[in-house]
Amino acid sequence: MTINREEGRTFQHISNLYDRARITYPTQLIDDIVTYSKIRPNGKILDVGCGTGQATLLFAQRGYSIVGLDVGQEMVNLAKEKCSSFPKVKFKVGTFEDVEFSDSSLDIITSGMAWHWINPEGREEKAYRILRNGGTLALFWSYQRKEESGFVKDVSKVLDKYGGLNRGPAGSKVRQISDAIYEKLKESQSFTSVEMREYDEDFEFNKGRYLDLVVSYGWVQVLPDEKRRSLVEDLQKLYKKYEEPLIISYEYVMILARKAKAPT
């Protein structure tokens, strides 16, 4: 499956929109990473593609040392504000491909909605190199459960018109991405105890926030201005059929993998 990684670089230009529109992650998902990893109290975490700190903050609140990494300076600035009361949280601006970390220096690498933006050539190999022996790779994504919402079904029809089939919030792209990475890790000699876990959570949106959410998608950001305006107009027309609040059911999928011991 082809990923246009340039779409992933658009978020740095809409940091405030991204921050107010995007959802957070379930407490159970974060707890499961901690339990699976058996991380020590002084363990170190790298959050790749941290955005405005949605996941970074949840680990910071648990007292861990964590580095948030993102390509966007404005995204990192917002994440810093959220985590300003946690002195063990640091941030770096740059790509996972380019920023260097010491070998065997990390207990956990996390990435929420971002691992697919990284060049797959050498991506897992670098994670293996910088994780400690037995360290954890935790990758997670979310998508909307279309079958449970007439609203989301209607939104998906509009977005299919502009972005191609299944580019909407309930499209199959997220599942295709996570399934492909899961199979790759299962076949890898570098990682073991590979698991896939799923979580459900409902969120309440008003129409303005939901529109912000759609506009914040990378593929929407790279549309020509006129086409993006038409998409917004079509969604606003659709909104007239529905009342607030909009209850949106989300599915989260997470891959957990443990760095295998090097052969002796």
Side-chain angles (χ1 to χ4, degrees):
M1 189 176 74
T2 302
I3 300 290
N4 179 3
R5 289 193 294 278
E6 287 306 308
E7 293 177 6
R9 294 181 175 271
T10 63
F11 306 130
Q12 60 187 310
H13 306 300
I14 54 164
S15 54
N16 287 296
L17 173 73
Y18 183 100
D19 188 54
R20 69 173 178 262
R22 295 299 180 109
I23 59 170
T24 186
Y25 298 102
T27 299
Q28 188 62 56
L29 182 151
I30 303 299
D31 288 344
D32 283 356
I33 295 172
V34 171
T35 301
Y36 176 95
S37 69
K38 301 184 174 82
I39 186 171
R40 304 159 298 164
N42 63 342
K44 295 180 180 180
I45 302 171
L46 171 64
D47 187 20
V48 179
C50 67
T52 56
Q54 282 88 344
T56 318
L57 178 62
L58 299 176
F59 286 104
Q61 290 169 338
R62 287 160 172 78
Y64 294 108
S65 295
I66 182 165
V67 174
L69 174 66
D70 201 90
V71 297
Q73 181 66 63
E74 290 300 317
M75 302 284 272
V76 165
N77 290 346
L78 287 173
K80 281 182 178 178
E81 288 180 23
K82 287 182 186 177
C83 298
S84 59
S85 60
F86 301 100
K88 294 166 71 175
V89 180
K90 309 295 180 187
F91 291 92
K92 291 179 181 286
V93 177
T95 66
F96 181 70
E97 296 94 327
D98 293 338
V99 175
E100 286 301 319
F101 296 91
S102 300
D103 290 0
S104 303
S105 62
L106 300 167
D107 294 275
I108 304 174
I109 297 173
T110 65
S111 186
M113 299 293 290
W115 197 248
H116 57 287
W117 297 125
I118 303 167
N119 188 337
E121 295 298 323
R123 180 178 59 191
E124 283 77 27
E125 289 80 359
K126 181 170 183 178
Y128 178 86
R129 177 171 58 81
I130 63 179
L131 280 169
R132 299 184 195 278
N133 284 334
T136 294
L137 181 63
L139 313 173
F140 39 97
W141 294 264
S142 66
Y143 60 96
Q144 295 171 13
R145 299 204 301 274
K146 179 165 58 177
E147 68 279 2
E148 298 185 19
S149 170
F151 171 74
V152 176
K153 285 180 183 177
D154 284 347
V155 167
S156 296
K157 292 174 185 175
V158 172
L159 299 189
D160 283 353
K161 185 171 75 173
Y162 290 92
L165 192 63
N166 290 323
R167 292 303 305 269
S172 62
K173 293 288 186 183
V174 165
R175 200 59 203 236
Q176 291 174 25
I177 289 166
S178 59
D179 286 352
I181 293 173
Y182 173 73
E183 291 302 327
K184 182 178 180 181
L185 287 169
K186 287 278 284 187
E187 294 170 3
S188 171
Q189 300 297 309
S190 299
F191 291 91
T192 187
S193 303
V194 181
E195 300 181 18
M196 181 177 280
R197 302 187 187 184
E198 298 181 16
Y199 309 82
D200 300 329
E201 193 158 318
D202 291 344
F203 287 88
E204 190 174 288
F205 283 76
N206 60 37
K207 294 175 182 178
R209 184 186 178 193
Y210 196 91
L211 186 60
D212 285 345
L213 175 67
V214 171
V215 174
S216 78
Y217 294 147
W219 70 266
V220 175
Q221 283 296 304
V222 299
L223 288 175
D225 290 346
E226 184 175 343
K227 198 169 184 180
R228 189 165 59 249
R229 282 194 294 270
S230 295
L231 183 156
V232 169
E233 289 171 3
D234 283 353
L235 287 178
Q236 289 172 332
K237 291 174 187 175
L238 171 64
Y239 277 179
K240 294 176 182 178
K241 293 171 53 180
Y242 293 93
E243 299 293 327
E244 294 178 332
L246 304 167
I247 307 300
I248 308 298
S249 297
Y250 272 85
E251 182 89 6
Y252 296 82
V253 58
M254 177 166 69
I255 300 167
L256 293 167
R258 185 168 287 120
K259 176 178 175 175
K261 291 182 179 179
T264 55

